[in-house]
Amino acid sequence: MAQHQHEFETPDRMEYTFLPVTAGSILFKVQAANDAHIALTPGPNDTEPQYEIFIGGWGNAKSAIRKNKQKPDAAIVDTPGILSAAEPRGFWMRWNHGELSVGKEGVAEPFLYWKDPEPFGIGHYGICTGWGATGTWYIEDGDRSKRVDTEDKLEYNWHHVQQGCLNVEVCCPHNAHLALTCGPCDSDPMYEVLLGGWENMASVIRYRREKPDKVRVNTPAILSQGEYRRFCVAWKNGRVWVADATGRTLMEWEDPNPFGISHFGARTAWGSSGKWRVCAAERPEYSAEPSAPPAQLAAGALPGWAVDGGNKGGCATWVDCTHGVVPPNAVQAGFDGEQLYVGRARHAGDIIPGKVVPSHQVCYIPWGGAEQAKTEYQVLCNCDPVWMPATEGRVPTGALPAGETEGVEPLFIGRATHNGVMCVGKVQETHGVCYVPYGGKEMAFKEYEVLCAQ
C-alpha cells in the first residue's frame, strides 16, 4: 500500500504555494540548498495572522519560527547543514493550540519549538524557497495513509481521521487493538475493536472499556506474526462494522447514543508487538455486504429538507448525520483546533448553513443573534469547492445554494475570519452580510468568501 504524496517544485522566489491542512501535523521532505520556508495560516493566502518556519536560513546555518513577519524571531536555533541541494531531507511539523514543534525525520525530539500565548486556527500551509535556493518538496497527505509500529504496551498511537472508514493491515501474533474517539487521547466515550484477543482466538467490540463486550465472536488464528492480515473498520451514526479481507462481516454493533469520531488509535499488547498500515478509505471494499453496508450510506436530503440547488455543482450532495459524525468526502471549511466542515441544519422554519465541529458533536448555525447548536444536521460532500471573495451580501456566479429562510429567501455558504479562525455560516443577500456562528454569538461580516462548487 503506497503512501500518498504531493510533489511540488518551488522557484527561487519568496511566494508561498498554499494547500489545505487536514490535521495538526504534516510530514515532508525537501531538497534545497537553503531557506525552506513553511507558513501556517487560517486561509490560503499570505496574510496575518500567520506563523512562518524557516529551515536552513542564514546560509543553511539557522532555523527559526516567526509570527506575523515580526522580529525578533519567536524562536531561533543553530542548524548548520540541515538542508541539502543533493538529496531530500525529511522533517515533521506539529501544531496544537499555539504549540509549534519541528523535528527531523526519525527523531522524536523537536529541534525547534515555540508556544504562542495568543494562538489562532490553522487551515492552510504554504511552502516556498528563496534567497538563492530552489526546492523540490514531497509532502505526505496525512489523512490518506499512515504507517504505525506498536510496541508490546497498552498505549494507543493517535492519528486524525476525517473519513468514516479505515482499511487496516496489521502483522502481529495477537491482540491488535483499534480505538475510535472524538479527540487524540484515551478518552470517554470510546469504541474499541479488539482483534485476535485471548491468544488469537476471539475478537470483540467494546464501548467505554465496559464489560460485557457489545459483540464477541470466535476468530481463531485471525492474526499472523508472519504476514499482514487485512480488515476494514467503518462507522456511521453510531454503527460500527468490522470486515475481513474478503468483505465478510466479522462484527457490527449500533450505539444508541453515538458521538463524533475524529481520531483513531492503534496498539498491541499482552506479549504482542505489531506493524500496521492504515489507510482512510472513501468506500469499504466489501464483496459480501453487512446488513447496512457503508458503501450504500444514504446521501442527499431527508424528507422535510429543502434540496433546491443541493445537487448543483457536479455531484455535490448533502448527507444526513448526527452527533458530530462526518461522512467520507465531507467538504472542509476551516480549522479551529480541529478540522471544521460545511454543514446545515433546520431552525425556526429556516434551513441554515453552518459549521460542523466533530469534537463538539454538533453543527453550529447562526440565527437570531446567537450561535445555535444542532445535533442533527447535514454535511456537504462530494464537491470540489472554490471560495470566491464577495462583499455586502453579493453572491458570485456559481455559488451553491445551501438553504432558505422561512420566507423562501435563498441562503448561501459563506466564511469569514474572526479572531484568527476561519468561521463558516450563511450569506443572506437582503441583509448585505455573511453571518457566522462564533463564541455563542451570530457575527456579521461585510467582507467574506462564498462557496462555489465546480
Side-chain angles (χ1 to χ4, degrees):
M1 187 184 302
Q3 246 178 350
H4 185 80
Q5 287 187 331
H6 301 292
E7 183 174 344
F8 299 92
E9 301 289 335
T10 52
D12 176 13
R13 189 169 64 233
M14 297 296 292
E15 294 181 3
Y16 284 110
T17 298
F18 282 93
L19 300 159
V21 297
T22 57
S25 65
I26 55 173
L27 302 174
F28 62 96
K29 292 183 178 181
V30 59
Q31 183 171 336
N34 54 271
D35 284 280
H37 296 187
I38 304 97
L40 301 176
T41 59
N45 42 53
D46 191 0
T47 58
E48 295 184 7
Q50 71 171 232
Y51 303 121
E52 288 183 291
I53 293 86
F54 308 135
I55 299 176
W58 295 270
N60 204 20
K62 298 177 183 290
S63 299
I65 296 174
R66 187 175 295 170
K67 183 176 181 181
N68 294 340
K69 300 186 183 295
Q70 295 179 358
K71 295 182 180 181
D73 296 312
I76 186 167
V77 295
D78 292 330
T79 54
I82 194 169
L83 295 177
S84 170
E87 63 178 3
R89 299 282 176 87
F91 302 92
W92 55 262
M93 183 182 304
R94 301 190 188 102
W95 56 92
N96 183 33
H97 298 292
E99 291 192 68
L100 282 77
S101 302
V102 185
K104 295 181 180 180
E105 182 182 32
V107 180
E109 290 297 316
F111 64 83
L112 189 58
Y113 172 86
W114 180 60
K115 184 172 184 179
D116 183 5
E118 298 180 345
F120 58 89
I122 295 169
H124 289 75
Y125 68 92
I127 57 174
C128 75
T129 44
W131 302 107
T134 61
T136 301
W137 300 70
Y138 307 90
I139 303 173
E140 293 183 7
D141 186 338
D143 270 353
R144 292 297 302 275
S145 181
K146 295 182 184 295
R147 300 291 194 274
V148 183
D149 289 335
T150 52
E151 303 176 47
D152 175 14
K153 189 164 54 178
L154 280 168
E155 293 181 5
Y156 282 110
N157 293 278
W158 298 103
H159 307 271
H160 178 270
V161 64
Q162 69 181 54
Q163 311 277 35
C165 178
L166 293 172
N167 284 333
V168 177
E169 293 181 348
V170 59
C171 178
C172 69
H174 54 82
N175 282 288
H177 299 180
L178 276 171
L180 303 174
T181 65
C182 61
C185 57
D186 196 335
S187 60
D188 183 18
M190 173 170 68
Y191 304 129
E192 288 182 291
V193 175
L194 313 183
L195 297 169
W198 297 271
E199 300 299 323
N200 207 17
M201 293 300 294
S203 300
V204 305
I205 295 177
R206 188 171 291 171
Y207 177 59
R208 286 184 160 173
R209 301 191 182 279
E210 296 174 351
K211 296 183 179 181
D213 297 312
K214 299 301 182 183
V215 180
R216 181 184 173 111
V217 294
N218 293 325
T219 54
I222 192 172
L223 299 175
S224 171
Q225 191 171 14
E227 65 178 5
Y228 282 93
R229 297 286 174 85
R230 187 175 185 185
F231 306 92
C232 179
V233 179
W235 59 93
K236 176 180 169 62
N237 291 348
R239 178 171 288 172
V240 181
W241 298 267
V242 184
D244 64 15
T246 69
R248 179 175 60 92
T249 300
L250 298 174
M251 301 180 286
E252 64 176 303
W253 175 69
E254 186 167 357
D255 181 5
N257 299 298
F259 60 92
I261 293 170
S262 63
H263 289 75
F264 75 91
R267 72 180 186 185
T268 44
W270 307 109
S272 176
S273 298
K275 296 181 179 179
W276 300 70
R277 301 167 180 160
V278 184
C279 179
E282 295 183 1
R283 288 288 186 267
E285 298 176 3
Y286 288 149
S287 58
E289 297 173 345
S291 59
Q296 297 176 356
L297 298 180
L302 293 182
W305 289 78
V307 295
D308 292 344
N311 286 323
K312 295 179 182 178
C315 58
T317 53
W318 291 96
V319 179
D320 184 66
C321 296
T322 64
H323 295 89
V325 171
V326 175
N329 296 332
V331 174
Q332 301 170 12
F335 197 88
D336 188 7
E338 64 183 292
Q339 192 65 56
L340 308 178
Y341 301 89
V342 176
R344 69 180 185 182
R346 272 195 176 278
H347 186 80
D350 296 352
I351 299 171
I352 305 171
K355 63 182 180 183
V356 178
V357 184
S359 67
H360 293 196
Q361 304 182 34
V362 298
C363 175
Y364 290 110
I365 59 173
W367 188 90
E371 180 181 58
Q372 311 286 340
K374 299 292 182 178
T375 57
E376 296 183 358
Y377 51 88
Q378 290 189 321
V379 180
L380 180 62
C381 299
N382 301 320
C383 82
D384 186 10
V386 175
W387 294 92
M388 299 294 293
T391 61
E392 298 181 341
R394 297 182 182 89
V395 176
T397 302
L400 182 69
E404 62 185 16
T405 66
E406 195 171 20
V408 198
E409 179 185 359
L411 299 175
F412 298 87
I413 302 160
R415 69 179 186 180
T417 301
H418 181 68
N419 284 350
V421 175
M422 187 64 77
C423 305
V424 186
K426 65 182 181 184
V427 177
Q428 192 163 355
E429 292 179 279
T430 58
H431 289 207
V433 296
C434 172
Y435 293 109
V436 301
Y438 184 87
K441 298 179 181 179
E442 180 184 45
M443 315 289 293
F445 293 85
K446 289 189 175 183
E447 296 183 357
Y448 49 87
E449 294 179 337
V450 179
L451 186 147
C452 301
Q454 292 183 336

